[in-house]
Amino acid sequence: MTECGSLLGKIQSPDDLKKLSPKELRELAGETRQFLIDTVSRTGGHLASNLGVVELTLALHYSFDTPRDRLIWDVGHQCYVHKIITGRRDEMDTLRRYGGLSGFPKRRESEYDAFDTGHSSTAISAALGMARARDLRGERHAVVAVVGDGAMTGGMAWEALNDAGHKQDRIIIVLNDNEMSITRNVGALSSYLARLRGNLGYIRFKKVAAWLLDHIPFVGVRLFRWAERIKNSLKYLLVPGMYFEEMGFTYYGPINGHDLGQLVPLFQRVRHSGRPVLIHVVTQKGRGYAPAQADPERYHSTGEFARKPTDQPVSGGESDSCDMRVGELLTKLGRRDDRICVITAAMAQGCGLRPFISAFPGRSFDVGIAEQHAATLAAGMAAEGFRPVFAVYSSFLQRAYDQVLDDICLQSLPVLLLISHSGLVGADGETHHGIFDHAYLRHMPGMRLVAPSSMERLLAVIEAALKADGPTAICYPRRALPESLGEAPRDVFEWSAIRTRPGARAALLAVGSMAPSALEAARILHEVGFPVDVVDAAAIKPLDTDMLNRLLAEKEYLFTLEDGILQGGFGGAVLEYAGVHGGGARIVPLGYDDRFVGHGTQEQLREECGLSPAGIAERILRAVGGRSGR
Ligand SMILES: Cc1ncc(C[n+]2csc(CCOP(=O)(O)OP(=O)(O)O)c2C)c(N)n1
């Protein structure tokens, strides 16, 4: 178990915080930071964001009456300090591990976790829902949403602000401004916040000036109107947070988010505010750990690392990941075709886009955490003859369903969706697994949907898709794919048999990253006397019906295997086809069955879901009634 300091050792719940003097609270912040660094160096996780919110989290729990007052963390990756002081300190070594604490807030884990988060920009909506529920019940507690400046680039946050400001709901928003999303934050709002942060002395001057303007006496109607006009236009310049004020919020800030002496009195003051309040808190990502302070992007999400400032963290990503190879290819293709543009929703590094962005900054667009906007932006560019590529993690594209359907597919626009982190991701768990993409894309008319099984095929499909008409979505995993898996088909959108065995009564149709597991399962089955053929069924839509018809006629069993949810997935497509077109084979789909999958290593999770190679072999044998043919 990670050692903790003497003050932290006494904190079993936020009530214990309230017994501390201001000096002790400051000391506790130091101990918590050390504990955090020690823990994350062993478990991996979102270190930099958590180091930035140590004082903020202590001040919130000190000033509010949690869990009665609701505290909602946007994205939720910055909830480690919150977990440490809400009774989970001794379990922190299990963070993000199989069966251990989640790296995100989970209602089932603690009553202090008011709302499950994981995807960005949801906290204000959730807080508003809770505030309205409170008011309907006639209760009085506070509801607080902590939202990063990165998360504020997501449209949903503004939908909620718009609603709350108009209805004047009693909620408190803490805008945690560290100038960073995963990379440096982007957009006009980010520039606005920078201006607000600007110079504290200047802001004090502005407050005085604003007060004076509010008290300009008027002499006669004309002068009054003139003063009003001047006052209003000057107010925009002079009143800090005017933008938020105009939206109906009382704005406080900017506040030094590491100064408990500023945070605590302000939180205590606004706790009973009858209006919507926005507190703009300025923090430093990675604070207190020199390597993370110097390179917060690298320590946004890290693997385990040795606790020496000179040591580099083990990166969360793989050294030869699909993303890296995809980025290299896009850069090469971008040189040949200047219609190729790349769009990212704040995931440039994760999606391997850095080389393209460096080579073609004018054709690269980071739109912030705005997947919906990114999809329609791509549609607009495609409508004008460009070849936009939107590279995005599978689970984050979920929120752009309508934009992909109505803006891209409906107009048959040649947008290429490069869908990274498809399938299980591992330690980030439920909210981050990309197991729904086959299901949410397959039924879109005109969408070509492919999940290649090897690097060679992935790169070939991307190249082909950039020449094809209409939209294409290509799914690939977080990890590397095998370099090559046998001879590639002539047409990249066709299936190919990657292993055939004489006398095989069954075929295993594997999609994308499941091909190696299929091959291993086939080896196990061969050893027990039940040979199966393995087919690389990369094309999920359209299906390779020539091969499927042959297989349906020739085999007794077809097993489909995907790193995705069964309902609406590839197996469902094969079943639907066979249901209409017939064929003798019995079809058994293998994938995740109508459930959310938790966190752990990919291997542990596959094992749990019966999708390890041995599990696949066992399920196949069970389906054929243990008949091995021997
Ligand atoms: C919809 C969605 N897209 C992308 C992400 C990936 N993501 C996780 S944290 C993060 C940056 C968040 O920045 P901010 O809200 O400022 O928090 P900070 O880490 O700076 O504290 C991003 C882009 C996500 N969680 N959800």
Side-chain angles (χ1 to χ4, degrees):
M1 201 188 294
T2 310
E3 295 277 311
C4 67
S6 57
L7 279 171
L8 185 57
K10 290 188 200 134
I11 307 295
Q12 300 305 333
S13 80
D15 285 344
D16 297 325
L17 286 183
K18 293 172 180 146
K19 299 172 194 152
L20 302 182
S21 67
K23 181 167 167 284
E24 286 173 321
L25 207 55
R26 277 198 302 278
E27 278 168 36
L28 179 69
E31 287 182 17
T32 307
R33 221 172 231 115
Q34 290 315 312
F35 181 81
L36 196 61
I37 300 165
D38 277 348
T39 303
V40 180
S41 70
R42 276 198 280 277
T43 60
H46 291 93
L47 181 64
S49 310
N50 279 284
L51 286 172
V53 296
V54 173
E55 290 83 5
L56 179 60
T57 310
L58 295 181
L60 284 166
H61 280 289
Y62 184 89
S63 313
F64 288 90
D65 179 22
T66 55
R68 201 175 76 85
D69 288 343
R70 311 289 197 261
L71 185 52
I72 301 144
W73 299 95
D74 202 284
V75 182
H77 61 310
Q78 76 293 56
C79 69
Y80 302 176
V81 182
H82 161 83
K83 292 202 177 196
I84 291 169
I85 59 167
T86 53
R88 286 167 276 182
R89 187 192 58 238
D90 293 346
E91 293 167 80
M92 285 301 286
D93 276 340
T94 71
L95 190 71
R96 294 157 46 90
R97 298 209 165 130
Y98 187 69
L101 291 181
S102 167
F104 293 89
K106 294 283 172 202
R107 278 150 57 95
R108 62 167 182 266
E109 214 178 78
S110 164
E111 59 177 341
Y112 288 93
D113 294 5
F115 198 79
D116 289 14
T117 46
H119 286 197
S120 173
S121 321
T122 63
I124 307 176
S125 299
L128 198 50
M130 290 181 168
R132 287 188 182 160
R134 171 203 60 203
D135 295 344
L136 286 170
R137 282 207 210 101
E139 294 169 350
R140 290 292 306 147
H141 56 266
V143 180
V144 184
V146 182
V147 189
D149 57 313
M152 287 301 293
T153 59
M156 197 178 159
W158 291 89
E159 293 171 26
L161 281 184
N162 188 43
D163 189 2
H166 171 62
K167 297 256 174 57
Q168 288 293 292
D169 293 271
R170 240 192 87 217
I171 58 165
I172 297 165
I173 298 171
V174 177
L175 169 50
N176 173 28
D177 177 9
N178 54 23
E179 303 177 55
M180 299 284 295
S181 193
I182 291 178
T183 50
R184 216 165 176 80
N185 204 12
V186 295
L189 173 72
S190 171
S191 316
Y192 176 65
L193 294 178
R195 285 198 297 279
L196 285 181
R197 274 191 310 270
N199 168 329
L200 287 170
Y202 174 57
I203 282 164
R204 249 177 258 122
F205 155 75
K206 288 200 291 190
K207 277 185 181 150
V208 173
W211 185 90
L212 287 175
L213 280 168
D214 273 334
H215 293 78
I216 289 178
F218 62 90
V219 185
V221 175
R222 280 181 62 187
L223 188 56
F224 170 74
R225 288 209 185 115
W226 175 81
E228 267 303 279
R229 267 206 310 275
I230 298 281
K231 186 181 89 172
N232 284 337
S233 46
L234 282 179
K235 229 178 169 183
Y236 279 99
L237 291 174
L238 298 176
V239 178
M242 192 60 203
Y243 196 64
F244 298 109
E245 291 270 344
E246 289 281 314
M247 287 196 74
F249 283 76
T250 304
Y251 170 92
Y252 294 91
I255 308 287
N256 177 350
H258 301 295
D259 184 348
L260 286 155
Q262 283 191 46
L263 293 171
V264 169
L266 181 58
F267 289 155
Q268 288 176 337
R269 186 166 133 210
V270 299
R271 193 173 155 221
H272 298 294
S273 166
R275 305 190 57 224
V277 166
L278 187 138
I279 303 175
H280 179 190
V281 165
V282 178
T283 61
Q284 183 186 25
K285 210 162 171 171
R287 189 172 177 98
Y289 185 54
Q293 243 167 258
D295 193 351
E297 180 179 339
R298 191 176 198 129
Y299 283 87
H300 176 83
S301 176
T302 165
E304 298 119 70
F305 59 94
R307 262 211 70 179
K308 278 185 258 147
T310 46
D311 285 333
Q312 294 299 324
V314 180
S315 135
E318 308 288 312
S319 52
D320 190 28
S321 65
C322 292
D323 296 298
M324 219 183 86
R325 299 289 292 276
V326 166
E328 281 166 11
L329 176 70
L330 287 176
T331 314
K332 193 173 102 190
L333 299 177
R335 281 200 188 95
R336 285 190 219 145
D337 185 346
D338 62 9
R339 295 171 310 153
I340 296 177
C341 298
V342 153
I343 297 170
T344 176
M347 301 301 291
Q349 178 68 23
C351 291
L353 301 178
R354 284 270 180 257
F356 189 97
I357 294 171
S358 306
F360 311 107
R363 285 192 269 143
S364 306
F365 304 96
D366 182 349
V367 298
I369 310 177
E371 290 80 4
Q372 297 165 302
H373 162 54
T376 305
L377 175 75
M381 297 193 81
E384 289 294 328
F386 279 83
R387 301 297 311 220
V389 176
F390 176 25
V392 55
Y393 284 15
S394 170
S395 76
F396 304 147
L397 185 61
Q398 284 161 194
R399 60 177 49 182
Y401 174 86
D402 184 58
Q403 286 74 6
V404 175
L405 182 68
D406 264 29
D407 297 332
I408 297 176
C409 291
L410 183 60
Q411 304 178 77
S412 212
L413 290 167
V415 172
L416 174 56
L417 299 173
L418 290 180
I419 304 179
S420 171
H421 287 53
S422 178
L424 293 184
V425 292
D428 281 336
E430 287 165 328
T431 48
H432 285 58
H433 294 312
I435 62 175
F436 299 97
D437 47 17
H438 304 163
Y440 71 71
L441 291 166
R442 183 170 76 76
H443 55 253
M444 294 193 180
M447 176 64 85
R448 203 179 290 108
L449 175 59
V450 193
S453 60
S454 68
M455 287 289 192
E456 192 183 50
R457 292 180 196 196
L458 170 63
L459 302 181
V461 167
I462 292 175
E463 220 170 324
L466 279 168
K467 291 186 197 131
D469 293 332
T472 306
I474 302 175
C475 305
Y476 43 92
R478 184 181 148 239
R479 285 185 176 173
L481 285 166
E483 196 51 44
S484 158
L485 273 182
E487 206 182 310
R490 270 172 298 116
D491 180 337
V492 288
F493 299 112
E494 280 177 6
W495 295 358
S496 63
I498 44 180
R499 174 131 335 137
T500 53
R501 301 214 187 249
R505 291 152 51 209
L508 183 49
L509 278 53
V511 171
S513 61
M514 292 310 277
S517 302
L519 287 169
E520 179 55 14
R523 192 193 60 72
I524 298 170
L525 288 165
H526 178 66
E527 276 176 9
V528 298
F530 187 76
V532 298
D533 290 348
V534 177
V535 173
D536 172 3
I540 299 167
K541 185 179 181 182
L543 294 169
D544 182 344
T545 50
D546 286 348
M547 184 176 280
L548 183 54
N549 284 334
R550 259 198 325 274
L551 292 168
L552 282 167
E554 285 169 11
K555 301 293 180 191
E556 275 177 59
Y557 298 95
L558 296 187
F559 294 92
T560 63
L561 179 61
E562 60 197 301
D563 197 7
I565 197 87
L566 285 177
Q567 289 65 29
F570 168 69
V574 172
L575 274 169
E576 282 163 19
Y577 183 85
V580 175
H581 299 278
R586 182 179 156 214
I587 295 155
V588 182
L590 302 176
Y592 308 109
D593 194 3
D594 203 15
R595 57 172 293 198
F596 291 102
V597 182
H599 58 277
T601 65
Q602 292 180 2
E603 288 72 21
Q604 288 165 328
L605 298 172
R606 291 231 174 93
E607 178 94 41
E608 175 194 292
C609 298
L611 287 185
S612 65
I616 295 164
E618 198 186 308
R619 287 170 76 177
I620 289 178
L621 282 179
R622 228 184 298 134
V624 301
R627 280 172 281 153
S628 68
R630 264 188 191 154

